[in-house]
């Protein structure tokens, strides 16, 4: 009987923990994401769809701006995960590649700009703690992390372009490479 009670308590305990996690999200990250969505859409409306689309078109036209500049601008101003929503202004073909570069940039810039991804800062600080324990300054580590991130994010986006081309051929589809008007 004790075994059945133990399993029953464990079973309901799993759902209680899930409920606690959900409540943490409801009172934590979800309101933040909603506010970021409102802020991003407000900025888009104030700046104008045409200007944002023109910026995205400029970024989409050049592989370096597409996988370095746009993710850096997005992660600095919109943080994680809102930077990924800037991909909606890119042509369909480049969206997977932008996601690859943009999501990685949320991690690699956190050493210099901890506001980008506060959850990731713990990982960086764990490594930086070892550097500071040796009596060294952690700033060069943060700069190197970001600079290596630029290269890694670029490679990630570039490699995803090849993957997208492969899937296009495999599926017999042609994704758009032209920027089209998007409603904010």
């Amino acid at each position: 009987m004790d075994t059945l009670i133990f399993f029953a308590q464990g079973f309901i305990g799993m759902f209680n923990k899930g409920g606690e996690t959900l409540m943490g999200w409801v009172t934590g990250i979800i309101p933040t994401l909603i506010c970021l969505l409102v802020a991003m859409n407000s900025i888009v409306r104030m700046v104008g769809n045409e200007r944002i689309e023109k910026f995205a078109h400029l970024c989409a036209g050049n592989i370096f701006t597409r996988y370095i500049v746009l993710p850096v601008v997005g992660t600095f101003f919109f943080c994680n995960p809102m930077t990924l929503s800037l991909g909606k202004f890119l042509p369909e073909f480049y969206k997977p590649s932008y996601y690859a570069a943009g999501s990685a940039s949320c991690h690699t810039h956190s050493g210099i700009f901890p506001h980008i991804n506060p959850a990731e800062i713990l990982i960086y600080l764990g490594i930086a703690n070892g550097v500071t324990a040796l009596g060294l300054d952690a700033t060069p580590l943060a700069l190197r992390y970001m600079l290596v991130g630029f290269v890694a994010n670029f490679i990630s986006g570039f490699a995803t372009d090849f993957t997208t081309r492969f899937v296009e051929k495999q599926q017999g589809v042609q994704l758009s490479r032209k920027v089209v008007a998007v409603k904010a």
Side-chain angles (χ1 to χ4, degrees), residues 67-68 100-101 104-105 108 145-160:
Y67 303 134
I68 295 175
S105 72
T108 58
Y145 187 44
M146 188 171 72
L147 292 174
V148 167
F150 289 154
V151 174
N153 300 342
F154 173 78
I155 291 170
S156 178
F158 188 67
T160 305

PDB file of all heavy atoms in Angstrom, residues 67-68 100-101 104-105 108 145-160:
ATOM      1  N   TYR A  67      23.734  38.009 -41.751  1.00  0.00           N
ATOM      2  CA  TYR A  67      24.049  37.090 -40.660  1.00  0.00           C
ATOM      3  C   TYR A  67      24.931  37.675 -39.576  1.00  0.00           C
ATOM      4  O   TYR A  67      25.221  36.999 -38.587  1.00  0.00           O
ATOM      5  CB  TYR A  67      24.684  35.815 -41.217  1.00  0.00           C
ATOM      6  CG  TYR A  67      23.782  35.145 -42.224  1.00  0.00           C
ATOM      7  CD1 TYR A  67      24.270  34.686 -43.427  1.00  0.00           C
ATOM      8  CD2 TYR A  67      22.422  35.017 -41.975  1.00  0.00           C
ATOM      9  CE1 TYR A  67      23.440  34.087 -44.353  1.00  0.00           C
ATOM     10  CE2 TYR A  67      21.581  34.435 -42.902  1.00  0.00           C
ATOM     11  CZ  TYR A  67      22.096  33.971 -44.083  1.00  0.00           C
ATOM     12  OH  TYR A  67      21.262  33.398 -45.005  1.00  0.00           O
ATOM     13  N   ILE A  68      25.330  38.940 -39.722  1.00  0.00           N
ATOM     14  CA  ILE A  68      26.095  39.602 -38.660  1.00  0.00           C
ATOM     15  C   ILE A  68      25.368  40.861 -38.182  1.00  0.00           C
ATOM     16  O   ILE A  68      25.027  40.983 -37.011  1.00  0.00           O
ATOM     17  CB  ILE A  68      27.536  39.925 -39.115  1.00  0.00           C
ATOM     18  CG1 ILE A  68      28.310  38.620 -39.389  1.00  0.00           C
ATOM     19  CG2 ILE A  68      28.256  40.747 -38.048  1.00  0.00           C
ATOM     20  CD1 ILE A  68      29.696  38.808 -39.949  1.00  0.00           C
ATOM     21  N   ALA A 100      19.091  30.681 -37.473  1.00  0.00           N
ATOM     22  CA  ALA A 100      20.326  30.033 -37.010  1.00  0.00           C
ATOM     23  C   ALA A 100      21.317  31.073 -36.494  1.00  0.00           C
ATOM     24  O   ALA A 100      21.890  30.918 -35.412  1.00  0.00           O
ATOM     25  CB  ALA A 100      20.941  29.216 -38.142  1.00  0.00           C
ATOM     26  N   ALA A 101      21.517  32.141 -37.264  1.00  0.00           N
ATOM     27  CA  ALA A 101      22.475  33.180 -36.861  1.00  0.00           C
ATOM     28  C   ALA A 101      21.940  33.988 -35.680  1.00  0.00           C
ATOM     29  O   ALA A 101      22.691  34.313 -34.753  1.00  0.00           O
ATOM     30  CB  ALA A 101      22.781  34.099 -38.038  1.00  0.00           C
ATOM     31  N   ALA A 104      21.874  32.053 -32.229  1.00  0.00           N
ATOM     32  CA  ALA A 104      23.229  31.889 -31.691  1.00  0.00           C
ATOM     33  C   ALA A 104      23.775  33.214 -31.175  1.00  0.00           C
ATOM     34  O   ALA A 104      24.506  33.244 -30.187  1.00  0.00           O
ATOM     35  CB  ALA A 104      24.150  31.313 -32.760  1.00  0.00           C
ATOM     36  N   SER A 105      23.416  34.322 -31.814  1.00  0.00           N
ATOM     37  CA  SER A 105      23.934  35.622 -31.361  1.00  0.00           C
ATOM     38  C   SER A 105      23.383  35.993 -29.987  1.00  0.00           C
ATOM     39  O   SER A 105      24.004  36.770 -29.267  1.00  0.00           O
ATOM     40  CB  SER A 105      23.629  36.721 -32.381  1.00  0.00           C
ATOM     41  OG  SER A 105      22.257  37.040 -32.389  1.00  0.00           O
ATOM     42  N   THR A 108      26.204  34.497 -27.758  1.00  0.00           N
ATOM     43  CA  THR A 108      27.585  34.957 -27.863  1.00  0.00           C
ATOM     44  C   THR A 108      27.779  36.427 -27.506  1.00  0.00           C
ATOM     45  O   THR A 108      28.909  36.856 -27.320  1.00  0.00           O
ATOM     46  CB  THR A 108      28.132  34.705 -29.285  1.00  0.00           C
ATOM     47  OG1 THR A 108      27.305  35.379 -30.229  1.00  0.00           O
ATOM     48  CG2 THR A 108      28.157  33.223 -29.589  1.00  0.00           C
ATOM     49  N   TYR A 145      34.668  36.189 -26.943  1.00  0.00           N
ATOM     50  CA  TYR A 145      33.434  35.406 -27.049  1.00  0.00           C
ATOM     51  C   TYR A 145      32.507  36.023 -28.090  1.00  0.00           C
ATOM     52  O   TYR A 145      31.939  35.333 -28.930  1.00  0.00           O
ATOM     53  CB  TYR A 145      32.783  35.361 -25.667  1.00  0.00           C
ATOM     54  CG  TYR A 145      31.575  34.477 -25.515  1.00  0.00           C
ATOM     55  CD1 TYR A 145      31.524  33.195 -26.053  1.00  0.00           C
ATOM     56  CD2 TYR A 145      30.476  34.915 -24.782  1.00  0.00           C
ATOM     57  CE1 TYR A 145      30.415  32.383 -25.872  1.00  0.00           C
ATOM     58  CE2 TYR A 145      29.364  34.109 -24.596  1.00  0.00           C
ATOM     59  CZ  TYR A 145      29.338  32.853 -25.147  1.00  0.00           C
ATOM     60  OH  TYR A 145      28.237  32.061 -24.974  1.00  0.00           O
ATOM     61  N   MET A 146      32.403  37.355 -28.067  1.00  0.00           N
ATOM     62  CA  MET A 146      31.541  38.026 -29.028  1.00  0.00           C
ATOM     63  C   MET A 146      32.134  37.966 -30.440  1.00  0.00           C
ATOM     64  O   MET A 146      31.412  37.696 -31.407  1.00  0.00           O
ATOM     65  CB  MET A 146      31.314  39.486 -28.625  1.00  0.00           C
ATOM     66  CG  MET A 146      30.267  40.177 -29.489  1.00  0.00           C
ATOM     67  SD  MET A 146      29.789  41.786 -28.879  1.00  0.00           S
ATOM     68  CE  MET A 146      31.247  42.732 -29.236  1.00  0.00           C
ATOM     69  N   LEU A 147      33.442  38.178 -30.582  1.00  0.00           N
ATOM     70  CA  LEU A 147      34.072  38.149 -31.903  1.00  0.00           C
ATOM     71  C   LEU A 147      34.031  36.745 -32.512  1.00  0.00           C
ATOM     72  O   LEU A 147      33.745  36.590 -33.702  1.00  0.00           O
ATOM     73  CB  LEU A 147      35.510  38.660 -31.818  1.00  0.00           C
ATOM     74  CG  LEU A 147      35.648  40.148 -31.487  1.00  0.00           C
ATOM     75  CD1 LEU A 147      37.113  40.517 -31.272  1.00  0.00           C
ATOM     76  CD2 LEU A 147      35.015  41.018 -32.555  1.00  0.00           C
ATOM     77  N   VAL A 148      34.288  35.740 -31.697  1.00  0.00           N
ATOM     78  CA  VAL A 148      34.164  34.365 -32.191  1.00  0.00           C
ATOM     79  C   VAL A 148      32.702  34.089 -32.545  1.00  0.00           C
ATOM     80  O   VAL A 148      32.408  33.398 -33.521  1.00  0.00           O
ATOM     81  CB  VAL A 148      34.698  33.348 -31.147  1.00  0.00           C
ATOM     82  CG1 VAL A 148      34.289  31.933 -31.483  1.00  0.00           C
ATOM     83  CG2 VAL A 148      36.203  33.459 -31.043  1.00  0.00           C
ATOM     84  N   GLY A 149      31.799  34.674 -31.777  1.00  0.00           N
ATOM     85  CA  GLY A 149      30.374  34.539 -32.061  1.00  0.00           C
ATOM     86  C   GLY A 149      30.004  35.099 -33.418  1.00  0.00           C
ATOM     87  O   GLY A 149      29.190  34.522 -34.138  1.00  0.00           O
ATOM     88  N   PHE A 150      30.590  36.257 -33.786  1.00  0.00           N
ATOM     89  CA  PHE A 150      30.318  36.827 -35.113  1.00  0.00           C
ATOM     90  C   PHE A 150      30.648  35.811 -36.199  1.00  0.00           C
ATOM     91  O   PHE A 150      29.864  35.578 -37.113  1.00  0.00           O
ATOM     92  CB  PHE A 150      31.140  38.098 -35.359  1.00  0.00           C
ATOM     93  CG  PHE A 150      30.718  39.292 -34.568  1.00  0.00           C
ATOM     94  CD1 PHE A 150      31.642  40.277 -34.278  1.00  0.00           C
ATOM     95  CD2 PHE A 150      29.416  39.463 -34.119  1.00  0.00           C
ATOM     96  CE1 PHE A 150      31.265  41.401 -33.565  1.00  0.00           C
ATOM     97  CE2 PHE A 150      29.035  40.577 -33.401  1.00  0.00           C
ATOM     98  CZ  PHE A 150      29.970  41.557 -33.121  1.00  0.00           C
ATOM     99  N   VAL A 151      31.824  35.204 -36.076  1.00  0.00           N
ATOM    100  CA  VAL A 151      32.272  34.227 -37.075  1.00  0.00           C
ATOM    101  C   VAL A 151      31.383  32.979 -37.043  1.00  0.00           C
ATOM    102  O   VAL A 151      30.915  32.509 -38.086  1.00  0.00           O
ATOM    103  CB  VAL A 151      33.753  33.856 -36.850  1.00  0.00           C
ATOM    104  CG1 VAL A 151      34.191  32.747 -37.786  1.00  0.00           C
ATOM    105  CG2 VAL A 151      34.641  35.085 -37.016  1.00  0.00           C
ATOM    106  N   ALA A 152      31.138  32.469 -35.845  1.00  0.00           N
ATOM    107  CA  ALA A 152      30.322  31.251 -35.717  1.00  0.00           C
ATOM    108  C   ALA A 152      28.890  31.484 -36.194  1.00  0.00           C
ATOM    109  O   ALA A 152      28.306  30.629 -36.866  1.00  0.00           O
ATOM    110  CB  ALA A 152      30.329  30.770 -34.270  1.00  0.00           C
ATOM    111  N   ASN A 153      28.326  32.648 -35.874  1.00  0.00           N
ATOM    112  CA  ASN A 153      26.963  32.958 -36.307  1.00  0.00           C
ATOM    113  C   ASN A 153      26.899  33.091 -37.823  1.00  0.00           C
ATOM    114  O   ASN A 153      25.942  32.643 -38.454  1.00  0.00           O
ATOM    115  CB  ASN A 153      26.464  34.235 -35.640  1.00  0.00           C
ATOM    116  CG  ASN A 153      26.455  34.134 -34.132  1.00  0.00           C
ATOM    117  OD1 ASN A 153      26.499  33.051 -33.571  1.00  0.00           O
ATOM    118  ND2 ASN A 153      26.423  35.261 -33.475  1.00  0.00           N
ATOM    119  N   PHE A 154      27.919  33.710 -38.398  1.00  0.00           N
ATOM    120  CA  PHE A 154      27.979  33.837 -39.854  1.00  0.00           C
ATOM    121  C   PHE A 154      28.044  32.456 -40.502  1.00  0.00           C
ATOM    122  O   PHE A 154      27.310  32.165 -41.445  1.00  0.00           O
ATOM    123  CB  PHE A 154      29.177  34.688 -40.269  1.00  0.00           C
ATOM    124  CG  PHE A 154      29.387  34.719 -41.747  1.00  0.00           C
ATOM    125  CD1 PHE A 154      28.596  35.523 -42.549  1.00  0.00           C
ATOM    126  CD2 PHE A 154      30.355  33.932 -42.349  1.00  0.00           C
ATOM    127  CE1 PHE A 154      28.772  35.545 -43.921  1.00  0.00           C
ATOM    128  CE2 PHE A 154      30.532  33.945 -43.712  1.00  0.00           C
ATOM    129  CZ  PHE A 154      29.739  34.757 -44.508  1.00  0.00           C
ATOM    130  N   ILE A 155      28.923  31.617 -39.987  1.00  0.00           N
ATOM    131  CA  ILE A 155      29.061  30.268 -40.538  1.00  0.00           C
ATOM    132  C   ILE A 155      27.747  29.497 -40.389  1.00  0.00           C
ATOM    133  O   ILE A 155      27.324  28.782 -41.305  1.00  0.00           O
ATOM    134  CB  ILE A 155      30.232  29.514 -39.879  1.00  0.00           C
ATOM    135  CG1 ILE A 155      31.558  30.148 -40.299  1.00  0.00           C
ATOM    136  CG2 ILE A 155      30.209  28.032 -40.207  1.00  0.00           C
ATOM    137  CD1 ILE A 155      32.768  29.655 -39.529  1.00  0.00           C
ATOM    138  N   SER A 156      27.093  29.661 -39.256  1.00  0.00           N
ATOM    139  CA  SER A 156      25.807  28.994 -39.023  1.00  0.00           C
ATOM    140  C   SER A 156      24.764  29.425 -40.051  1.00  0.00           C
ATOM    141  O   SER A 156      24.068  28.594 -40.635  1.00  0.00           O
ATOM    142  CB  SER A 156      25.322  29.310 -37.608  1.00  0.00           C
ATOM    143  OG  SER A 156      24.088  28.725 -37.360  1.00  0.00           O
ATOM    144  N   GLY A 157      24.658  30.725 -40.299  1.00  0.00           N
ATOM    145  CA  GLY A 157      23.717  31.223 -41.303  1.00  0.00           C
ATOM    146  C   GLY A 157      24.079  30.761 -42.699  1.00  0.00           C
ATOM    147  O   GLY A 157      23.216  30.322 -43.471  1.00  0.00           O
ATOM    148  N   PHE A 158      25.353  30.839 -43.032  1.00  0.00           N
ATOM    149  CA  PHE A 158      25.841  30.445 -44.353  1.00  0.00           C
ATOM    150  C   PHE A 158      25.594  28.953 -44.597  1.00  0.00           C
ATOM    151  O   PHE A 158      25.123  28.552 -45.665  1.00  0.00           O
ATOM    152  CB  PHE A 158      27.329  30.780 -44.458  1.00  0.00           C
ATOM    153  CG  PHE A 158      27.911  30.598 -45.821  1.00  0.00           C
ATOM    154  CD1 PHE A 158      27.527  31.410 -46.874  1.00  0.00           C
ATOM    155  CD2 PHE A 158      28.860  29.622 -46.053  1.00  0.00           C
ATOM    156  CE1 PHE A 158      28.073  31.248 -48.135  1.00  0.00           C
ATOM    157  CE2 PHE A 158      29.411  29.444 -47.316  1.00  0.00           C
ATOM    158  CZ  PHE A 158      29.015  30.258 -48.356  1.00  0.00           C
ATOM    159  N   ALA A 159      25.895  28.129 -43.603  1.00  0.00           N
ATOM    160  CA  ALA A 159      25.677  26.684 -43.734  1.00  0.00           C
ATOM    161  C   ALA A 159      24.188  26.364 -43.872  1.00  0.00           C
ATOM    162  O   ALA A 159      23.811  25.458 -44.627  1.00  0.00           O
ATOM    163  CB  ALA A 159      26.272  25.961 -42.538  1.00  0.00           C
ATOM    164  N   THR A 160      23.354  27.112 -43.168  1.00  0.00           N
ATOM    165  CA  THR A 160      21.920  26.880 -43.260  1.00  0.00           C
ATOM    166  C   THR A 160      21.398  27.243 -44.642  1.00  0.00           C
ATOM    167  O   THR A 160      20.436  26.646 -45.130  1.00  0.00           O
ATOM    168  CB  THR A 160      21.167  27.647 -42.157  1.00  0.00           C
ATOM    169  OG1 THR A 160      21.736  27.272 -40.890  1.00  0.00           O
ATOM    170  CG2 THR A 160      19.689  27.318 -42.139  1.00  0.00           C
TER     171      THR A 160
END
